[in-house]
Structure formats: structure tokens, C-alpha cells
Amino acid sequence: LKNKNSFDYLFNILSFSLVKLVIKDIFNTYSLHLIKRSFLISAVVWMVMLFLDFSVTLVMELENLSINQTLSMIFNIILYEQLHKGMQYLESSMLIGTLIALSIFNQQGNLVFLRSAGFSPLKIVLVSGLGPIILSMALIFLDETLFLDLSKKSNTLNQSIQSAEVIQWEMADKNLIGLSRVNDKQVKAIQIIEFNDQQRVISSANYEEGKLENGQLFIKDPVTQQAFKFPASFLLTNNALENSSFFSLLDIKKTYLSDKDLQKIDTLIYARALLPVSILAIIFLAGSLMFNSSRSEGVGKQIIIGISLGLIYDLVKDLSVASFLTYQWPIFIAHLLPIIILVGIGTYKFQRI
């Protein structure tokens, strides 16, 4: 009897170990398949969105055809900037790609099978998000090393054929300063309007040219040599800042100490640093919605859900950043708040599955 009990105990242990190995093998097989599928589908979605944006932009720019601006020049300008411009679709592409991959998986009955094997919905969603995360990290690396350089080349080509003079305005102390940029340092057509403490205009002056250097605007005038303080965020154009790499932005930030001047730079830094976290958070929320759907629901519905979630999320991010900039609140919280909202809603939905 003792030998029989020992045999049964050993048999139970071996059976349990075998079941664990089988389940582990099943999950490894399915997880690799799901990671590859979500990676490839997300890549295809991103390229499709890139192509659609390129096509629309090209058609809109055709009205600017002229002797100085040929079709080949317009095509090259749009082409060079398109890869960096496509980074704005990264979150939506990864979201839609994950939803399509999970939807196909669900239609084939694989999600039900994995759940019946004892795997939690959270674990399945996190595994499915690995493919898009790997893809997004690769694209972020390429953006820092290649796409930004191509975008700068596009701006250089565009500036060489632009004839219209664009005046930029900025408040510096009690002066409203408007100018047109020749390049990153040289400016022209300078207009300076000075206000008193009651916000009334007390003087106005025009100057032909000047120079931006070390946080100041130097007026090139033979009669009066004047210098005005200038915000760091205006020393570089918006395009120059947006086409700066992550580490270049960190170097620019070290040059200036004013919190007000650094808001635009901090916004770009935090947006890029938190981009992978943002992608994972929106996949987390979308995955929680997937397990409430039936197997009969098609891929088209998931695409609509993905586009809707992406648009709403972008709107919330823009409103958050704009509000925090307006009230001078910490800009890091503005970028973190939408992610926290996504994680909170996703956690609530997972608990109800």
C-alpha cells in the first residue's frame, strides 16, 4: 500500500510537470506567432498611413508648380520629410496593428484556447504588444539617426525656393518683436514695439537686419547698437527644434536656464522620451476592449476602433499640453497624465473581464 501511494504521488508530480511543460510550449509557440504577426501588421499599417499622407500632401502641393518649383523638386521635398513626419502616426499605427492581429487571432479561436489553457488576458495583450514595441523602438532609433537628417535636407531644399517673407512674433520682456529669418542666426525686417506697465505702446522702431546669439537679439545699425533679450524657444525656429535629435535637444536645454524659455524644448524631449510608454499604454487599453468582443466581429471594426481611439488620445494629449503651457504647470505631468488615464481605464476594464 505504501509503495502504491508513493507511485501515485510520483505519477501526479510527473503529470503536473508534463502539463506545465506542454502549456509552456503552447504559449511559447503562440506568443512567437502573435509577436511576429503584430510586428508585420503594424509595419504594414504604418507604411500605408505614410503612403496616404505622402499622396495627399503631393496633390496639395501641385498647385505650387512654377518655373522655380518643378514637380521633381516638390516630390523630393515631400519625400525627404515624409519618414520623420510619419512618426506622428506611430502610436495609431501600432494600436491598429495590434488590434488587427488580436482580431485575427480571436477569429481563429486562439484567444479562447489560450485563456482555457490558463493564460490571463493581460499576459496575452502584453505579449501581443511586444511586436509593435520592438518596431516602434527601431523606428525611433532610425528617426534619430536618419529620418531627421532627411527632414533637414527637405527644409534646406524648401528654403531655397521659398520667396514669401514670413514674419515671426515673440514677446521679450516688455517688447513685442517681429522678424524674418534669413537662417538660424541672421534675421531681417525687424520690428520692435515697446509697452509700458499699463500695456500701452510707448515706442515703435524698424531695423533692416540683426543677429541672434547667446540668448539675445543684436541690432545691426550704424547709429544705435542695441541688444534685446530673447527667449531660447525663439532663438531656433520651430522646424529647427522639431528636426533636432533627442540628444541635441538635451544639449540645447543646458544652454538656457529660464523655465519659460525651456517649455517648448521640454515638450519635445518628454514627447519623445515617453513615446514607447505611450504606445504600450494605448495597446494596454485596446487589448482590454478586445476580450469583450465576440469571434464574429471582423477586422474592419477593430480598424475603426483603433482610428477612433488614436484620434481621441491625440486630442487629449494636445489639450493636456496646451492647458499646462497656458497655466505654467509642469510640462512633464502634461505628457504623463494621458498615459495615466489610459492605464487607469485599461486596468478597470481588465478587472471586469
Side-chain angles (χ1 to χ4, degrees), residues 34-35 38 98 124-134 279-280 283:
L34 186 55
I35 290 171
S38 61
T98 305
I124 297 172
V125 170
L126 291 179
V127 169
S128 67
L130 286 178
I133 288 295
I134 294 171
I279 292 172
L280 189 59
I283 289 174

Side-chain angles (χ1 to χ4, degrees), residues 23 28 41 45-46 66 71 78 117 156 181 192 201 205 207 261:
I23 291 176
N28 287 338
I41 293 177
V45 171
W46 187 71
S66 62
L71 178 61
I78 299 174
T156 302
R181 289 179 178 272
I192 299 177
V201 177
Y207 303 96
D261 293 345

Side-chain angles (χ1 to χ4, degrees), residues 117-161:
F119 298 105
S120 66
L122 178 60
K123 191 172 184 179
I124 297 172
V125 170
L126 291 179
V127 169
S128 67
L130 286 178
I133 288 295
I134 294 171
L135 176 60
S136 62
M137 293 299 292
L139 290 174
I140 290 171
F141 174 77
L142 289 173
D143 184 51
E144 292 289 316
T145 56
L146 177 63
F147 298 167
L148 284 169
D149 292 334
L150 293 175
S151 183
K152 291 176 184 177
K153 187 173 182 179
S154 172
N155 288 335
T156 302
L157 291 173
N158 195 29
Q159 288 175 359
S160 64
I161 60 177

